[in-house]
Amino acid sequence: MSARIIDGKAFAASLRERVAAIVPAFEAAAGRKPGLTVVIVGEDPASQVYVRSKGKATEAAGMVSTTHRLPETTTQDALIALVRDLNADPAVDGILVQLPLPKHIDEQAVIATIDPDKDVDGFHVVNAGRLAVGQEGFVPCTPLGCIMLLEDRLGDLSGLNAVVVGRSNIVGKPMAQLLLAKSCTVTIAHSRTKDLQDVCGRADILVAAVGRPAMIKGDWIKPGATVIDVGINRIDNGEGGTKLAGDVDFAEAIEVAGAITPVPGGVGPMTIAVLLRNTLVSAYRRAGVPYEKGAI
Ligand SMILES: Nc1nc2c(c(=O)[nH]1)N[C@@H](CN(C=O)c1ccc(C(=O)N[C@@H](CCC(=O)O)C(=O)O)cc1)CN2
């Protein structure tokens, strides 16, 4: 058996187009464009690439993109002061502080400063709480993108056994909450889980978000399962360079799974597409303009 490849790149492109098609209607109703501000501290090369991509995608969708590039030596107080200014700026609908931050800055303290109603990353504890109790808020972009891919592939997810390997605040935990909200039977597994292979083998939906290249082997996967690989690990390509690899052993998994996201080209591109979606939703909510929820 050879699994169907879930084309996250194509799905993300269509989501970005859908968002861009709605932006003019927002502008006509609100008299301004939606605005996303991204803050990056330091020179982490991968973060620089992601932030550039976010800026380009935001502009391509017809929104206002602003990027604050701060030096590695920026103090936590200076970063928090900038976030407070952005909270108070009516033209800013979405604030995103690129992670990871330099070690001398407490990420949680910075995230806690972001106005929850501009927190398009969905990382603020208020948005985590809203997700947990089923209230409207912002949901982290990567897990929401995974749910979109899963529903596109499987339709109704209710009753399915879902296993999420990884318990981070930005992927594992919100992913589990979203699957629960879709009426899946959810297990969160992690590095201390006993019989991890056995736990994974019971999953109709297996989400890997551990950050360990090729950790999930083919014989861990239930035949026909849908596998969502959130891992983006840079590894040696054997020719003196590097390449990206997921948390799932793709060559093995493709022989067993029913469908699987590749790395690259699976979940990754959904992160930025959903960010644009969250920014547009924020703009509508903040402007008090009604919008068709199903459309975005
Ligand atoms: N504030 C945030 N920081 C970080 C987030 C986030 O959602 N909010 N997520 C990641 C990084 N990230 C966006 O910021 C991101 C990661 C990967 C991709 C992506 O498109 N990946 C491609 C491969 C790209 C490449 O060649 O390197 C893919 O998987 O196909 C987009 C965004 C951590 N920080």
Side-chain angles (χ1 to χ4, degrees), residues 47 49-50 54 96-100 121 123 141-142 170 232 234 244 262-272:
S47 294
V49 172
Y50 298 141
K54 286 173 188 184
L96 181 146
V97 177
Q98 186 65 30
L99 303 180
D121 250 337
F123 292 168
C141 303
T142 304
I170 68 174
I232 300 181
R234 193 157 281 285
L244 291 183
V263 178
V267 170
M270 291 301 291
T271 301
I272 293 178

Side-chain angles (χ1 to χ4, degrees), residues 162-265:
V163 174
V164 180
V165 188
R167 53 178 160 176
S168 71
N169 289 340
I170 68 174
V171 181
K173 287 177 192 161
M175 187 73 227
Q177 294 284 1
L178 286 167
L179 289 162
L180 188 60
K182 297 291 177 186
S183 300
C184 291
T185 303
V186 183
T187 303
I188 304 179
H190 46 77
S191 55
R192 303 262 179 106
T193 297
K194 288 204 176 86
D195 302 324
L196 183 57
Q197 174 173 351
D198 191 51
V199 171
C200 291
R202 288 196 290 267
D204 303 307
I205 295 171
L206 180 60
V207 181
V210 270
R212 287 182 57 187
M215 188 184 111
I216 310 278
K217 302 295 175 195
D219 58 1
W220 295 27
I221 295 167
K222 178 177 173 177
T226 302
V227 178
I228 302 291
D229 191 349
V230 185
I232 300 181
N233 308 291
R234 193 157 281 285
I235 60 165
D236 199 330
N237 68 0
E239 296 167 10
T242 63
K243 63 175 183 179
L244 291 183
D247 292 345
V248 177
D249 187 321
F250 187 79
E252 288 184 13
I254 198 169
E255 298 300 329
V256 187
I260 185 167
T261 56
V263 178

Side-chain angles (χ1 to χ4, degrees), residues 9-95:
K9 199 172 169 187
F11 194 98
S14 77
L15 177 57
R16 283 159 59 160
E17 275 169 24
R18 255 184 291 149
V19 169
I22 298 170
V23 168
F26 172 80
E27 199 177 346
R32 65 177 183 83
K33 292 174 190 280
L36 173 66
T37 297
V38 174
V39 181
I40 177 166
V41 184
E43 302 298 330
D44 178 74
S47 294
Q48 295 285 344
V49 172
Y50 298 141
V51 166
R52 253 196 313 277
S53 300
K54 286 173 188 184
K56 280 189 193 157
T58 305
E59 280 171 9
M63 304 185 194
V64 178
S65 162
T66 311
T67 304
H68 292 264
R69 291 190 166 79
L70 307 180
E72 182 84 25
T73 51
T74 302
T75 63
Q76 183 169 314
D77 285 352
L79 179 56
I80 283 177
L82 171 60
V83 170
R84 290 207 172 108
D85 286 348
L86 298 173
N87 285 343
D89 184 342
V92 175
D93 295 299
I95 302 169

